[in-house]
Amino acid sequence: MMQGMYPNGFLNPDDRKCSVQSLLFGHRIKPQQTRYEYLVEFLQVAMARKRITNSGDDSIKTDMFPVSDALADHQLEYKPISNMGLKRFIFFENSRLDTKSQIDKKAYNKCLEIMKECIEIENTQISEKDSIFILQNILYGFSIENAGRSWFNKNLLPICPEVLFPESLARKKYREKVDIDSEEVDSSFDFNSYTYMARGGEVYYLHILHAINSAEQEAKERLEHQIKRMLSSIPQLSEISKFIQTEWETGMNYDASDIRDYDVKKRIGAIPLEYSYRDSHSLSEIMCFLDNRIQPMEKLNLLSYGIVLQLFRMHITTAAKGSSTQGSAWVIDVCEPIKKEHAEIRKLASNCYNKNEESVTKYIDIGIDYYYCDSTPEEKDKMRKDADKDSNKIIRKLGKNMGMIIPITGTGMRFTLSEEIIKFLVMALVPPSSKVTYDHFLDMLYDHFEIVISPEHYAKAAEEGKVGPQTNVTFLQENKNDFAQKLKNCGFLRDLSDATAIVENPYEKEED
């Protein structure tokens, strides 16, 4: 039944430390993680230095996606740069009062003094205090929505490599023992606890890493170039971030080489090998998307949607295949509610969504019986509830947040496509400045994501056992027409004649 894990042997059910959802869907995806944090964590792993543990090769890998046969059997470790001085400078004032230790208040105030000494102001109408306030708010303006968190658990959009902060946890009682003149001011955090950055980005990274290790060298070089280009699209923010962190380290008399090497080591988990069925699709989608020249903030935003969308697809298809159920296709409801045909489309889409959840539930039961057959009924029941919370419930939460699942409350849940997801899909499937026929675009949506919009693709999904049988779905033609109108509203579709329409990606290609 189970194909194994990548890297192989990292998750061992015999030690009873691995949850069934980690074994089935990857170690580990938790409800606390937001859409943007998937993106931040993925890029953080990609940009960090890495080492393949216990492989006989202790060399530090500086490439984003190392290619090595050893990756199949050995765990990957990565070393992100925490830049805690910069993080404190940005977030300390705008965070919970009850978690602000005295040592960090001292460090924050010292940072302000250091910044005042190194900033030169020629305009007499701007004070040192004003300039620091401006610097803080320039960066804080890119904050991810994380109200109510402590400063050390906040994060920014990945606007440059310097702000790819790893999750950190401050033990307040221990922090009070730290001396202000010690490097422990920045190093004595727990960087290996997972609360908000809950490994979802690591799961996606491993998926792309596996795809890269199965692809041509050209794909690796191209993707690494695209990611570097994206993270350097606003160089001014990178320079500001470097300036603040460097002045902090200099003012604190930190050794530049030591401070960046203190013990921030994180070991990546593992993913099921079943995900490899989607390797070529996910790789081609992210590379095609990153080639679009669009505003940097919009690119980051849309990529966060795309990463979660791809994880949903792997998650649900793996469950449907593993449980041999007719529950992998996504019947999309895009009709306007005022139309009479909408009731039938809504019912069909809701039934298919329920089949998705049923296949995941059944797969979890199969996994529990496979990996934990000796457990008591009470233990199995708890595993089932935990696994449902970290699978179906996550899809519900994130899907509603992304505008991919409707309604927000109430019964009849079903998949739809928000404008952001439509934009990602067009840019991930149609190269910049290229076009395809509308029918071919629907073919690509089905081939890549098992998305069903038209009667023709429902018939194909039924033939392939991805939906339940239904003899007459001609009402989906209205769904197909309304989706064409949605594409037109987004600026992606043009009618050539009464019978032919084309989907066009209007964005230019990024310059290499």
Side-chain angles (χ1 to χ4, degrees):
M1 169 195 150
M2 309 293 175
Q3 291 184 23
M5 307 299 290
Y6 178 80
N8 183 38
F10 169 59
L11 294 174
N12 180 10
D14 293 335
D15 61 14
R16 290 296 188 265
K17 291 180 181 178
C18 302
S19 63
V20 66
Q21 63 267 30
S22 289
L23 292 162
L24 297 178
F25 303 117
H27 185 66
R28 67 185 176 104
I29 300 176
K30 293 289 183 180
Q32 294 91 336
Q33 198 159 26
T34 66
R35 167 172 55 89
Y36 282 125
E37 284 167 338
Y38 281 77
L39 172 64
V40 170
E41 194 170 39
F42 164 66
L43 293 173
Q44 180 189 115
V45 180
M47 294 298 293
R49 296 165 297 162
K50 303 171 190 71
R51 186 174 69 88
I52 305 172
T53 61
N54 303 318
S55 65
D57 177 11
D58 289 330
S59 63
I60 300 297
K61 314 293 182 185
T62 57
D63 43 347
M64 294 186 197
F65 301 98
V67 174
S68 171
D69 292 339
L71 286 168
D73 298 309
H74 298 277
Q75 194 175 356
L76 194 64
E77 176 184 272
Y78 69 103
K79 292 174 64 66
I81 297 173
S82 65
N83 284 343
M84 293 303 289
L86 174 63
K87 191 174 190 180
R88 190 186 290 107
F89 177 81
I90 298 169
F91 293 118
F92 189 78
E93 281 289 281
N94 297 288
S95 63
R96 288 171 52 187
L97 291 172
D98 60 323
T99 57
K100 293 180 179 179
S101 63
Q102 287 301 314
I103 185 62
D104 286 309
K105 289 180 183 178
K106 291 179 182 179
Y108 176 71
N109 289 328
K110 186 164 185 176
C111 183
L112 296 185
E113 291 302 315
I114 291 170
M115 294 304 298
K116 287 177 183 177
E117 291 177 5
C118 67
I119 293 176
E120 295 182 6
I121 303 170
E122 296 182 357
N123 191 326
T124 57
Q125 294 182 343
I126 300 176
S127 67
E128 292 173 339
K129 185 177 180 180
D130 291 336
S131 63
I132 290 173
F133 177 80
I134 291 168
L135 280 178
Q136 286 176 317
N137 281 273
I138 286 173
L139 294 170
Y140 190 76
F142 296 99
S143 177
I144 293 172
E145 181 57 43
N146 42 33
R149 294 192 193 177
S150 305
W151 70 269
F152 43 79
N153 263 332
K154 287 177 174 277
N155 228 307
L156 295 183
L157 281 170
I159 50 177
C160 58
E162 291 76 19
V163 300
L164 294 172
F165 304 121
E167 183 170 7
S168 52
L169 181 64
R171 309 291 184 185
K172 193 171 181 180
K173 290 183 178 179
Y174 178 75
R175 294 287 296 162
E176 298 299 352
K177 300 176 184 178
V178 175
D179 189 284
I180 188 64
D181 295 319
S182 166
E183 288 184 3
E184 288 186 322
V185 169
D186 282 357
S187 63
S188 61
F189 290 87
D190 178 359
F191 294 103
N192 290 290
S193 293
Y194 287 85
T195 304
Y196 302 109
M197 304 285 277
R199 290 190 188 269
E202 290 185 10
V203 169
Y204 183 72
Y205 173 82
L206 282 173
H207 172 55
I208 297 298
L209 181 68
H210 188 274
I212 287 287
N213 273 265
S214 305
E216 301 282 337
Q217 177 72 16
E218 182 182 347
K220 165 189 162 64
E221 294 171 355
R222 181 181 165 199
L223 181 57
E224 291 184 348
H225 170 72
Q226 289 172 316
I227 291 175
K228 287 177 183 176
R229 181 178 60 198
M230 180 178 68
L231 289 175
S232 61
S233 56
I234 314 179
Q236 299 87 344
L237 296 176
S238 186
E239 290 303 313
I240 290 172
S241 300
K242 287 177 187 175
F243 169 74
I244 295 167
Q245 179 65 25
T246 301
E247 292 301 326
W248 163 251
E249 292 175 7
T250 302
M252 291 293 286
N253 296 314
Y254 291 157
D255 184 295
S257 60
D258 288 344
I259 192 62
R260 294 182 180 276
D261 262 342
Y262 56 62
D263 197 24
V264 183
K265 296 178 184 178
K266 301 172 81 70
R267 291 196 171 187
I268 305 180
I271 59 173
L273 278 173
E274 281 90 342
Y275 285 177
S276 62
Y277 85 92
R278 210 176 184 282
D279 278 0
S280 60
H281 281 331
S282 293
L283 190 55
S284 70
E285 288 155 14
I286 189 173
M287 290 195 297
C288 186
F289 173 80
L290 290 175
D291 262 347
N292 287 271
R293 188 192 301 172
I294 59 175
Q295 199 272 340
M297 292 300 99
E298 184 179 16
K299 179 171 279 190
L300 292 170
N301 181 46
L302 294 178
L303 182 55
S304 71
Y305 280 94
I307 288 174
V308 176
L309 180 69
Q310 290 167 326
L311 286 172
F312 280 4
R313 182 66 278 166
M314 293 186 292
H315 193 114
I316 291 173
T317 299
T318 297
K321 287 182 176 181
S323 59
S324 301
T325 57
Q326 297 175 327
S328 64
W330 293 344
V331 175
I332 303 296
D333 175 9
V334 292
C335 265
E336 296 293 334
I338 59 174
K339 297 185 177 181
K340 64 180 182 180
E341 294 88 351
H342 182 261
E344 292 179 281
I345 296 169
R346 181 176 59 210
K347 182 179 178 181
L348 181 63
S350 180
N351 287 341
C352 286
Y353 180 86
N354 290 337
K355 286 288 185 184
N356 283 183
E357 289 203 340
E358 288 171 14
S359 68
V360 172
T361 301
K362 185 175 179 181
Y363 190 52
I364 289 169
D365 285 336
I366 292 171
I368 290 172
D369 289 339
Y370 183 87
Y371 288 114
Y372 299 102
C373 58
D374 296 332
S375 299
T376 66
E378 292 78 13
E379 289 171 334
K380 289 183 177 181
D381 187 55
K382 184 178 185 308
M383 289 180 200
R384 190 174 296 108
K385 289 178 180 177
D386 289 343
D388 183 67
K389 181 180 69 175
D390 294 339
S391 55
N392 279 331
K393 297 293 172 59
I394 288 180
I395 292 175
R396 286 189 188 186
K397 177 187 172 185
L398 281 175
K400 290 179 179 181
N401 178 264
M402 292 165 55
M404 188 178 170
I405 295 176
I406 54 174
I408 299 297
T409 59
T411 59
M413 281 185 294
R414 57 204 183 275
F415 284 116
T416 189
L417 296 177
S418 67
E419 184 174 324
E420 291 83 2
I421 294 174
I422 290 172
K423 285 183 177 181
F424 173 80
L425 290 170
V426 171
M427 286 187 267
L429 298 177
V430 183
S433 302
S434 300
K435 51 184 176 286
V436 297
T437 66
Y438 179 46
D439 286 337
H440 183 56
F441 183 67
L442 294 179
D443 288 340
M444 289 193 291
L445 289 179
Y446 182 79
D447 292 341
H448 280 249
F449 292 96
E450 298 177 50
I451 285 176
V452 172
I453 290 173
S454 67
E456 296 84 1
H457 290 102
Y458 189 91
K460 186 174 182 180
E463 183 181 339
E464 294 174 354
K466 296 176 181 178
V467 293
Q470 181 147 336
T471 54
N472 183 10
V473 291
T474 54
F475 52 83
L476 283 177
Q477 183 61 42
E478 197 65 34
N479 206 38
K480 180 179 178 181
N481 295 340
D482 278 11
F483 184 55
Q485 186 60 49
K486 269 199 170 185
L487 286 168
K488 190 176 294 185
N489 294 343
C490 293
F492 293 126
L493 185 134
R494 285 192 295 123
D495 291 317
L496 295 183
S497 66
D498 291 341
T500 306
I502 60 168
V503 175
E504 185 173 27
N505 182 345
Y507 296 104
E508 295 181 356
K509 188 178 184 297
E510 288 272 21
E511 294 180 2
D512 290 328

